[in-house]
């Protein structure tokens, strides 16, 4: 009996040592969500680290100044240049370095704590912020797929992108850029089925079918987004999120869609005469798709998708 207990103790000791010596490069892998509650945007921060020294910043990377799609005198033509959500990282001992492609610089953080479920990073650099993050895991196998998704982002008292887009599961995209975007007007593109599946997986991580129909932050003059999920030609779920008040996974899923146009190979589209007449659109007006609105944008893009 004594030998059996000694043998069990030896196994447990080895197991504990293996857990303690788990390499940081493995421990950091996965999705991390901020628990900073100082304001509504601080707790939306998040990262996902992959084995090939690639990480995803859930907010993405943006230029630190405005660009203009046309005249600098038109306040509705200014936009931030978007560099996507993924970049490079390096982890060694108690140091985490993240590369920002928007400014072509590395940001350095001190790793105060890294366990399988907690990451704490700090920095002394102005305008950069550390924080405490918790590991997130997801089971999405039982969450239903959707065939298409419609996304709309409204104007705000500022430079929010005004966008309507429809993405189908074959990768086809119809896009309307209204204001504060690089490409204003009506376009089509294709991102491929794999890219659609990645978008779908993000919304499944948010458990989209079980979310509230509407979220609203207690702030004013900010943008609202509306999302329609379509299955078998029917809208099976709609979500409105004013001021990014929804769960982190929801915001992380739709945030890149606002500026996806900057990553697309776009083809300009002309509105067929019969559809223009049906929606009472003046084709001679310069900004014919400036304020199509949430519901009209949906009806218009669905109708257009059946025609091309």
């Amino acid at each position: 009996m004594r030998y059996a207990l000694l043998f069990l103790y030896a196994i447990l000791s080895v197991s504990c040592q293996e857990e303690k010596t788990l390499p940081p490069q493995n421990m950091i892998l996965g999705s991390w969500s901020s628990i900073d509650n100082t304001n509504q945007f601080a707790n939306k921060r998040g990262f996902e680290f992959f084995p090939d020294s690639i990480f995803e910043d859930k907010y993405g990377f943006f230029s630190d100044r405005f660009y203009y799609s046309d005249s600098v005198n038109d306040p509705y033509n200014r936009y931030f240049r978007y560099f996507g959500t993924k970049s490079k990282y390096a982890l060694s001992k108690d140091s985490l370095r993240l590369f920002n492609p928007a400014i072509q610089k590395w940001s350095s953080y001190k790793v105060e704590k890294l366990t399988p479920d907690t990451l704490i990073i700090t920095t002394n650099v102005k305008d950069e912020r550390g924080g405490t993050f918790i590991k997130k895991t997801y089971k999405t196998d039982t969450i239903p797929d959707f065939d298409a998704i419609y996304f709309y982002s409204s104007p705000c008292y500022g430079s929010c992108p005004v966008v309507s887009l429809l993405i189908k599961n074959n990768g086809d995209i119809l896009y309307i850029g209204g204001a504060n975007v690089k490409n204003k007007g009506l376009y089509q593109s294709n991102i491929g089925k794999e890219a659609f599946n990645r978008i779908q997986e993000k919304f499944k991580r948010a458990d989209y079918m079980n979310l509230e129909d509407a979220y609203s932050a207690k702030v004013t003059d900010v943008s609202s987004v509306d999302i329609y999920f379509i299955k078998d030609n029917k809208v099976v779920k709609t979500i409105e999120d004013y001021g990014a008040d929804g769960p982190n996974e929801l915001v992380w899923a739709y945030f890149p869609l606002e500026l996806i146009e900057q990553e697309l190979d776009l083809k300009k589209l002309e509105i067929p005469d019969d559809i223009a007449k049906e929606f009472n659109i003046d084709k001679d007006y310069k900004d014919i798709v400036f304020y199509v609105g949430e519901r009209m944008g949906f009806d218009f893009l669905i109708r257009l998708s059946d025609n091309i």
Side-chain angles (χ1 to χ4, degrees):
M1 180 66 178
R2 187 179 71 176
Y3 293 109
L5 290 174
L6 289 173
F7 180 70
L8 178 59
Y9 175 77
I11 292 177
L12 291 174
S13 298
V14 171
S15 176
C16 290
Q17 290 174 6
E18 288 178 350
E19 182 177 351
K20 289 180 180 178
T21 58
L22 182 67
Q25 286 78 7
N26 291 343
M27 203 176 296
I28 202 170
L29 300 180
S31 184
W32 299 87
S33 180
S34 172
I35 56 173
D36 182 354
N37 292 316
T38 54
N39 63 66
Q40 72 172 102
F41 298 108
N43 66 7
K44 299 297 181 187
R45 296 174 64 217
F47 303 110
E48 186 162 359
F49 295 93
F50 302 96
D52 51 359
S53 296
I54 298 297
F55 84 102
E56 180 179 49
D57 185 302
K58 299 299 184 178
Y59 268 143
F61 302 98
F62 302 86
S63 60
D64 56 359
R65 68 180 181 87
F66 283 121
Y67 289 80
Y68 291 85
S69 56
D70 193 1
S71 168
V72 295
N73 296 319
D74 185 349
Y76 299 110
N77 277 332
R78 62 186 186 180
Y79 66 94
F80 287 107
R81 187 169 292 174
Y82 180 54
F83 292 83
T85 61
K86 290 187 176 181
S87 186
K88 300 176 290 185
Y89 78 93
L91 177 67
S92 60
K93 294 183 179 179
D94 62 348
S95 173
L96 175 63
R97 301 174 66 231
L98 307 176
F99 185 73
N100 186 334
I103 59 175
Q104 293 292 299
K105 289 184 178 180
W106 288 89
S107 298
S108 295
Y109 299 87
K110 182 180 179 182
V111 179
E112 300 286 356
K113 181 179 181 179
L114 176 57
T115 68
D117 58 7
T118 304
L119 169 65
I120 301 177
I121 55 177
T122 58
T123 178
N124 295 321
V125 179
K126 184 180 178 181
D127 298 328
E128 293 185 3
R129 187 172 64 251
T132 299
F133 300 81
I134 58 172
K135 176 73 70 68
K136 302 298 292 286
T137 57
Y138 308 98
K139 294 182 179 180
T140 60
D141 293 344
T142 60
I143 298 175
D145 292 342
F146 48 84
D147 298 329
I149 184 171
Y150 168 75
F151 172 82
Y152 169 77
S153 60
S154 76
C156 69
Y157 192 71
S159 300
C160 302
V162 181
V163 168
S164 298
L165 72 147
L166 178 70
I167 311 177
K168 293 188 172 183
N169 59 5
N170 64 356
D172 284 344
I173 290 184
L174 288 174
Y175 163 82
I176 299 173
N180 300 315
V181 293
K182 182 178 180 181
N183 299 284
K184 294 177 66 175
L186 176 63
Y187 298 86
Q188 69 178 150
S189 187
N190 186 285
I191 57 173
K193 187 171 178 60
E194 287 187 9
F196 175 88
N197 289 340
R198 287 193 293 270
I199 293 172
Q200 177 172 247
E201 176 64 19
K202 289 185 177 182
F203 282 102
K204 291 174 72 172
R205 285 185 176 189
D207 196 8
Y208 72 97
M209 286 297 290
N210 290 314
L211 295 179
E212 301 291 335
D213 293 337
Y215 297 91
S216 183
K218 293 179 174 60
V219 293
T220 60
D221 303 323
V222 295
S223 178
S224 179
V225 306
D226 291 271
I227 310 162
Y228 294 19
F229 299 92
I230 304 158
K231 182 70 175 179
D232 297 328
N233 297 317
K234 295 180 181 179
V235 176
V236 295
K237 177 70 174 178
T238 64
I239 301 173
E240 179 182 5
D241 189 11
Y242 174 75
D245 190 57
N248 285 11
E249 283 77 9
L250 173 65
V251 177
W252 295 345
Y254 72 66
F255 201 76
L257 299 182
E258 285 191 328
L259 294 176
I260 192 175
E261 47 106 11
Q262 294 189 32
E263 300 183 297
L264 299 178
D265 181 14
L266 296 171
K267 176 184 177 183
K268 188 83 172 180
L269 280 181
E270 295 294 331
I271 304 176
D273 291 338
D274 60 330
I275 296 181
K277 182 178 180 180
E278 180 180 341
F279 287 87
N280 196 27
I281 295 174
D282 182 358
K283 295 176 64 175
D284 295 326
Y285 181 56
K286 178 182 178 182
D287 290 323
I288 56 175
V289 291
F290 192 105
Y291 286 118
V292 296
E294 167 219 337
R295 184 68 204 195
M296 178 181 172
F298 171 73
D299 293 337
F300 173 73
L301 291 182
I302 288 292
R303 176 71 173 85
L304 187 63
S305 71
D306 294 335
N307 197 71
I308 58 176

